[in-house]
Structures are given as C-alpha cells and as structure tokens.
Amino acid sequence: MNTPDPQSAGEQAPHGGRHHEPDLRRMTRINLRPIASPMPLGFYSVAIASVMIASLQLGLFPAGAHRAIAMTILPAFVLQLVVAVFAFGARDVIAATLMACFSGMWLASSLVLALDSPSGTSVLGVLNLVFTLFAALMASVAKPKRALWLVLCTAVPRFAVSAVANLTGTPWVATVSGVLGLLLAAVALYAAFALMLEDMRGQEVLPIGRSGPAHHAVEGDLTVQLRNLERQAGVRRTL
C-alpha cells in the first residue's frame, strides 16, 4: 500500500482535485529603497511659480511680460514631475497625484502665456476651474497629511478666483486672485521648510499636524511600514 506524499496531499483542493498554488512567501524577497523626501522640492516649486503668476495678476510687471513669466514657471513643470515620479516610487499616491497635476498645470499655463493665443485667457479659466474641482477632491482625502491638506485648502479658492478672473476679465477679481496666489506661496513655503527640517533632523521641528495613517507612517516602527506590503501596486499582480 502506497503512502501519499503529505506535501502532495496538502496541495489537493477539497473539490475537483485541483491544485492550490504553493505558498511562495518564504521564497519571496521585496527590496525597499529609502529615498529623501521629494515633497520640500515640490512645495518650493509651487511657491515660486505661484509668486510669479500672482505678481503678473497684481500688475507688478510691465505690459508684455507674460512671455518672460511663462519661461520662469516652466521649470516648475519639470521639477514637480520629478517629485511626482519619486513620490510614486515612495508609494504615496496622494502626493504623487497632486504633484503630477500641478506639474501639468504649470506646463499648460506656461505654453498658453508664451503663445499668447487670443482665446488663451478663457482656456486658462476653464483649466483653473477644473483644477479647482480636482484640488477640492484631493483635499477631501488628504486631511491626515495636514501640510499637504493646508496647501490644497489654500489652492482651492486661489484657482477658483483665478478661473473667474480669466473668464470675466474683471480687474479687481484678478487682484484678489493675485493676493490668494501669494497666500498659497506662503503656505507652500512653510510646508516645504517644515518638511525639510523634519527630514534633516529626523524629528518634527515645526508643527505639521499629521494624524491617522500619516502619523503612524512617521512615528510607527518598521512593522507598521511593511503592513499590507504584498497588496501595494508594483507588488500585487494587477493595479
């Protein structure tokens, strides 16, 4: 009488004699690559580009300066695209999505200003309106990341008012948009500086206000960081 192999017997499914997939966890190795936080660079880029656009809206530059402004905000597109790539690599989908969309906004704004199309202002108005909706949706899920959430909460009225200014051409609305742009730059500068200090010193120096999963990600141990890693994009079989 033959004795069945326990391993083979264990692979038999209770119905239909089908085989289960073997447990590959002991043969699987996942390599993690620590990186410096790209978010300070992303927020600094938001601040610099916002100051340039706000200055244009406030009339601080002479007439015909829009093409020069376009060239100065174009680098923000490249820098924030780099930030988005690294944020995706760090498995932070909220930060990566925000920075990628900001990158696209700066590119579109730069091209419209540089080409000086007759309908460019109206096109930017619609684009700002759509970006306002995007920022509001992002803010609704980004509250645990208080620094990012605060930037989004400042960006929503800024882009909403900018959309109205572009679509109506009302001078005082453009002035309000410029003031809100400077406010957005100030908030982004604070977030960038606070995150940079935290990354350099390994602890929170200026209050950022993380809560929930964002707080556990910084204060928790390695076990917390690796929780549900097998279900992360790039590890699981499909997105």
Side-chain angles (χ1 to χ4, degrees), residues 126-191:
V126 175
L127 180 63
N128 286 330
L129 194 60
V130 175
F131 193 83
T132 300
L133 176 60
F134 160 76
L137 292 175
M138 289 289 293
S140 67
V141 298
K143 194 170 184 179
K145 296 174 171 289
R146 291 298 173 87
L148 192 150
W149 177 74
L150 188 58
V151 170
L152 283 167
C153 288
T154 313
V156 169
R158 181 259 183 268
F159 283 100
V161 175
S162 184
V164 175
N166 288 330
L167 292 173
T168 64
T170 308
W172 70 266
V173 179
T175 301
V176 173
S177 176
V179 173
L180 290 174
L182 294 179
L183 178 61
L184 173 60
V187 173
L189 279 174
Y190 174 83

